[in-house]
Amino acid sequence: MGGVNTVNGMTGIIMLVLWALAFGATAFALIHALRQRSDAFTAVDKLTKPIWSGILAVALLLLLLSFGGLGLLAFISIIATGIYLADVRPKVDEVQRGPRW
């Protein structure tokens, strides 16, 4: 019976680590969005800065509500964060940095 407790304990630790990574990524994305110029978002045909800031703030709140677990609320947050980090952030950074020569 001790093996079952070990597996459950390891599963809990893995879930907590995954949750912490998701929380860190979402916090990073929110801070990044807040620090950018508003016109950079519209220049790359993305949602506006206030909309992305709101989406990421709600994502962070949903992660807090699902503390330590990866339920439906956490997955919604992870998807929103992933879209921002993979699609919006690189383009916003590029438009503010200017063309590379």
Side-chain angles (χ1 to χ4, degrees):
M1 206 63 161
V4 172
N5 288 335
T6 303
V7 171
N8 287 338
M10 288 300 293
T11 302
I13 291 171
I14 291 169
M15 295 296 281
L16 185 61
V17 168
L18 291 173
W19 179 88
L21 290 172
F23 185 83
T26 304
F28 171 78
L30 178 59
I31 291 168
H32 180 272
L34 292 173
R35 295 185 65 203
Q36 305 312 304
R37 295 188 340 238
S38 295
D39 61 337
F41 288 84
T42 53
V44 293
D45 288 330
K46 300 297 174 191
L47 296 175
T48 63
K49 177 181 177 174
I51 291 174
W52 269 114
S53 298
I55 289 170
L56 294 169
V58 168
L60 201 61
L61 178 65
L62 291 177
L63 278 170
L64 285 173
L65 292 174
S66 68
F67 175 73
L70 292 180
L72 181 61
L73 297 179
F75 283 122
I76 292 169
S77 299
I78 292 166
I79 290 168
T81 302
I83 290 170
Y84 180 83
L85 291 176
D87 184 40
V88 180
R89 180 179 171 257
K91 291 179 181 171
V92 168
D93 284 347
E94 182 180 329
V95 79
Q96 291 186 107
R97 182 177 47 238
R100 289 186 173 177
W101 297 102

